[in-house]
Each structure stands twice: as structure tokens, then as C-alpha cells.
Amino acid sequence: MASPRPDPAAAAPGSLAKRTVRDFTFGRILGEGSYSTVMLGTDQTTGQQYAVKILDKRHIIKEKKTKYVNIERNTLNRLNHPLVVRLHFAFQDPTSLYFVLDYAEHGELLTLIRRCGQLPEVNARFYLAEIVTAVEYLHSRGVVHRDLKPENILLDRDMHIKLTDFGTAKLTDSADAGPPRANSFVGTAEYVSPELLTDKAVDRRSDLWALGCILYQLLSGRLPFKGANDYQTFQQIIRHEYTIPDDFSPAARDLVTQLLAANPADRIGAAGPDLAAVKAHPFFSGLDWRDLHLQVPPPLPAPSPPVGPWNGTASDDDEDLIDDSDLFQRLQALPVYEGGGALPADLGSYTLPRPSSSDPPTVSAASPPLRSPPRLVTTPPQPYTMPSYYDPHPSQSSLSYSSTQSPPDPHFHNLHHTELALHEGGKLSQSAQPWTWRGRLALRLSSLCPCICGSRP
């Protein structure tokens, strides 16, 4: 039985005493994104557990993500539904923003699909019905999710869904939606609708397409559109190339077909302001739509044994904003299937701190960006330790060591003292640093024939 929900008016953001970081005890990491970390937080006063999303201000400013953070908070502020994750508190400190959200103990719906392989139709019907109910509520509040996928659908303690991740949502009745961006889209490749790829247009009907992809994935354990890379996936979507497994029931086959209609106007539920047409489909025959969040979900089957590496997910990275004009030009050349609450004001003035001489080495441009560690830890952080093969006396102009690079070959350690002698003598050029192949070659040559590098024997 689902636990009773508190009075919304009493728990609305801003109606309770202001919370700070000191009011919470933080435990394990629940998830990590491109500019955020979600940690399990416990209110020290009530003992209530929450999912605390910690957003790094420095990364938000640097990567120009302020707009999406604003959209996420403004969207959460206008939503209050038992099947949608809820924002309880929001606060900040000098380095981070904190969103205190509902804690879903059973993780992502994708994990359930992976564990079961595919769900029986009775389970898929119940979970799709909850997703449809949540999406219908979003649309009634002027919100288009734009990134519906099993990774963004959580399961709470009673195995009911919680729709989450509104950073790329579109507020259709608000200026936060902003003007459409040329040569860009938001979403995850395997779930984007064809009109988004060809016309760069998005509305509530794009969420209906994603519902079709999710139903297909619930029943089969795999995605309807999945190529070797994003471009091939987009080709499949634009050409409407997918097959429905033979074990789908006639009702399931029909609903998937109507949701995955290439023409947005032909999708079931696209005509009316709500999703009554979807709810009336024979696939949901016999389902009681009243208070789904209070019903007991159908028992789940035993987990399926692993049969090989998982290849049905979209991506492990949640960086869903794609800007690629060349990609869109190639896609538009393909034949199209013609079938039936703002952030605090002081965030804008937040400036990035200037590096000091005691900072760790700067990551080179060729290296992947390092994700900022969580700002809150339960134990003091370990001091930064230089690797044994790191030169402690480089000049500032030649500093190019990256902690993401692999250590040099075993021979390099034996030449460490030779490296220091060469560097102090000024004979090792900036283009032949000791952690590059040129540097290692110069060091070996210097040990065999010192006159080559000009060092004294």
C-alpha cells in the first residue's frame, strides 16, 4: 500500500522553514550527470530521506547551462502529482545549488527492464498506464517533457513510477521556453521523433512518440530504433524502419503502431487536449484508471539470466543537447517516410575562481573534461598526491600533465633521475615532454648517448 502523501499546501517549496546544507546528512551517491550529482540526504530533524541533486555552479556557468537549470526548477515548481517527482526544498551555497527531491528507492525503470529482459504484458500495461497518466498531467500544466525514456522514470518504495529530469522540458505557456534554436535539439537519440529531426519542431505529440518507444521496450527488452551510432539511429527514425516482434499481442501491436506514426497528426491522442484516446485503446482493456498510484502493481516475474552485454540503452551520458549543423544537413537530405522558479540573482554574478599556484595541473585540451567531485562528503577528502612519474619542477609554460593520461611504460620509472637532470639543464624541449613519446625517446637516447641531447656524462 502506498504511503500517504503529506498535504501539498503544507509542504510546498517556500512554505516551510528555510533549509540549508547543515540540515541534512548525506550518504551514498545515487547518480551522476554532466553537471550534477544526486546524493541520498536525510533530514536531521524529521529523519525523512530525499534525493538531493547538487549542481555545480562553476560548471553551469562555464557550460552555459543556466537556462536549463532555470527550466528544471520552474517546471518542478508548477508540478504536484503522485506520479511525478516533487521538489521539496531548493537552496544554495557559494559553490553549488541544491534541489531536494523525492527519493525513489527502487531506482530507474530501465534497471527493471534489464533485470527482467522483457516484461509480461500485464506489467507493461500497468506501468505504461502510470506513465500515460503522468504525461497527461504534464501536458495539462503546459509542460512537454521532451526526454521521456526509462532512465527518467523512477520506481518508488511501492514500485510506482516517478517521472523525473525536467532539465530539457518545454514550458508551452511561458517565456522560459525561449525561441527555437537552429541546428539543435534536445532529447535522447533513440527516442526522438522524426519531426524533430526534419523540421526541428517539438510539441506534446513528440512525447506520444516516446511513449511508443517505451511500450516497445517494455514488451521486448530492446529499442525499436537502434543503430551503430546516432546518425544511423536517426536514419532509421526518419525512414521509419522498425519491426514489431511476433510475440506482441494484436492490441499491443496496434498501440505501438499508432504511437509511432511518422506523421505527428496521425498519432493516437494527438487530436484532443488530453490522452483520452490512448486510455480508451483496447490494450488497456479492464484497467481501472482511478488512483493508479494507490493500486498494488502486478507481481513481477523472476529476473532473467544475463545473455550478453546490454545494447538496448540509449546512452550512459545524460548530456542530451546536441548541436551539429552538418548532421542535420545530412539528415534533411534523407527521404522522409510519408505514413498515416528562477535561479537566485547572485548566480549570474558568480565568477570562476582564478587558479592558484597550488592547484593541480591543468587538463590539456585534448583530454576529456574532469567532472567536479561532489561538494558534500561525509569524510574529509584525501590530499592531492602527485604520481611518482610526475616532474615536480616544470615551468608554468610547459605544464601539460593530465591526471586522465595513462602512466608511461615501465622503463620510464628507471629514467626518472635522468629526466630531472635534463629538465634542470634546460635541454628537454617543450615539444618533448617526458610523458610524451618524444620525451621518452629523448630520455632513452640521453641515457645511451648523452652527447645527442647535449648533457654532460
Side-chain angles (χ1 to χ4, degrees):
M1 190 71 177
S3 57
R5 291 178 58 82
D7 180 15
S15 63
L16 296 180
K18 184 178 180 180
R19 293 291 196 271
T20 67
V21 175
R22 299 179 183 275
D23 295 321
F24 295 89
T25 301
F26 293 86
R28 62 189 177 91
I29 294 178
L30 302 176
E32 292 183 280
S34 58
Y35 58 91
S36 65
T37 300
V38 182
M39 301 186 70
L40 179 61
T42 303
D43 191 318
Q44 297 181 6
T45 303
T46 64
Q48 179 69 36
Q49 289 186 322
Y50 299 98
V52 183
K53 187 172 185 178
I54 308 171
L55 303 99
D56 189 326
K57 284 184 181 180
R58 174 173 178 164
H59 189 92
I60 292 171
I61 298 295
K62 181 179 179 181
E63 300 298 327
K64 300 180 181 179
K65 300 291 186 181
T66 306
K67 170 186 174 182
Y68 301 102
V69 177
N70 273 317
I71 289 175
E72 182 171 17
R73 174 166 180 176
N74 293 341
T75 302
L76 288 169
N77 275 336
R78 69 166 62 184
L79 301 178
N80 181 24
H81 192 276
L83 298 178
V84 178
V85 73
R86 184 173 168 195
L87 177 66
H88 294 271
F89 311 104
F91 48 87
Q92 65 171 321
D93 63 19
T95 59
S96 303
L97 301 172
Y98 301 85
F99 292 168
V100 182
L101 308 166
D102 285 335
Y103 171 45
E105 299 183 20
H106 289 284
E108 300 173 352
L109 179 62
L110 177 63
T111 303
L112 179 64
I113 299 174
R114 288 178 175 179
R115 187 168 67 242
C116 296
Q118 61 189 66
L119 296 182
E121 188 167 304
V122 63
N123 300 98
R125 178 185 300 113
F126 181 83
Y127 284 117
L128 184 67
E130 290 200 326
I131 299 169
V132 168
T133 301
V135 171
E136 184 180 45
Y137 171 75
L138 292 185
H139 292 175
S140 71
R141 301 291 294 167
V143 176
V144 180
H145 192 285
R146 295 206 292 181
D147 197 20
L148 285 175
K149 56 183 178 179
E151 293 97 316
N152 291 338
I153 300 169
L154 306 178
L155 297 171
D156 65 11
R157 180 182 60 186
D158 300 309
M159 295 299 290
H160 291 281
I161 73 149
K162 292 280 189 182
L163 200 57
T164 188
D165 199 349
F166 297 95
T168 57
K170 182 179 180 67
L171 306 180
T172 58
D173 58 349
S174 170
D176 291 326
R181 296 182 54 174
N183 300 325
S184 67
F185 71 88
V186 292
T188 302
E190 288 78 2
Y191 300 88
V192 299
S193 55
E195 68 270 16
L196 193 60
L197 299 173
T198 56
D199 302 326
K200 306 183 186 70
V202 61
D203 56 27
R204 57 184 294 272
R205 297 174 297 184
S206 298
D207 284 348
L208 298 178
W209 174 277
L211 288 176
C213 296
I214 293 172
L215 174 58
Y216 187 105
Q217 193 172 0
L218 288 170
L219 292 172
S220 67
R222 56 189 178 87
L223 290 158
F225 305 97
K226 181 65 178 177
N229 51 51
D230 285 354
Y231 177 65
Q232 293 185 16
T233 299
F234 295 151
Q235 287 182 311
Q236 293 179 15
I237 293 173
I238 291 178
R239 293 170 177 166
H240 212 242
E241 297 176 351
Y242 76 99
T243 57
I244 299 180
D246 295 335
D247 58 354
F248 277 30
S249 69
R253 179 183 296 268
D254 183 70
L255 182 56
V256 168
T257 302
Q258 292 198 55
L259 288 171
L260 294 182
N263 186 347
D266 294 337
R267 290 173 200 153
I268 184 172
D274 53 26
L275 300 184
V278 178
K279 294 180 175 180
H281 191 273
F283 179 76
F284 297 108
S285 178
L287 181 72
D288 185 1
W289 287 91
R290 295 171 298 178
D291 296 328
L292 281 172
H293 67 285
L294 298 178
Q295 298 180 22
V296 178
L300 292 166
S304 301
V307 294
W310 172 259
N311 61 359
T313 62
S315 173
D316 290 333
D317 190 4
D318 67 344
E319 189 67 23
D320 298 326
L321 180 64
I322 302 177
D323 293 273
D324 191 338
S325 57
D326 180 64
L327 174 62
F328 280 108
Q329 290 173 2
R330 286 185 291 161
L331 288 173
Q332 289 175 337
L334 297 175
V336 180
Y337 175 79
E338 299 291 346
L343 289 174
D346 58 337
L347 176 61
S349 61
Y350 180 82
T351 56
L352 302 181
R354 300 179 64 87
S356 63
S357 57
S358 60
D359 286 340
T362 304
V363 179
S364 63
S367 304
L370 295 178
R371 176 177 295 154
S372 300
R375 295 294 180 182
L376 295 178
V377 293
T378 54
T379 58
Q382 296 295 323
Y384 184 85
T385 304
M386 292 292 184
S388 61
Y389 51 84
Y390 177 69
D391 181 4
H393 304 291
S395 62
Q396 290 295 325
S397 61
S398 64
L399 192 59
S400 61
Y401 168 77
S402 170
S403 61
T404 62
Q405 292 175 313
S406 301
D409 55 64
H411 299 286
F412 181 50
H413 182 72
N414 298 329
L415 298 174
H416 184 63
H417 297 291
T418 307
E419 168 207 338
L420 296 180
L422 281 172
H423 202 93
E424 291 173 355
K427 303 300 182 182
L428 188 58
S429 66
Q430 295 184 15
S431 62
Q433 294 297 321
W435 41 84
T436 65
W437 68 269
R438 292 186 180 91
R440 293 197 293 270
L441 178 60
L443 294 176
R444 293 195 184 95
L445 291 175
S446 66
S447 64
L448 297 175
C449 185
C451 60
I452 294 180
C453 294
S455 59
R456 296 188 300 272

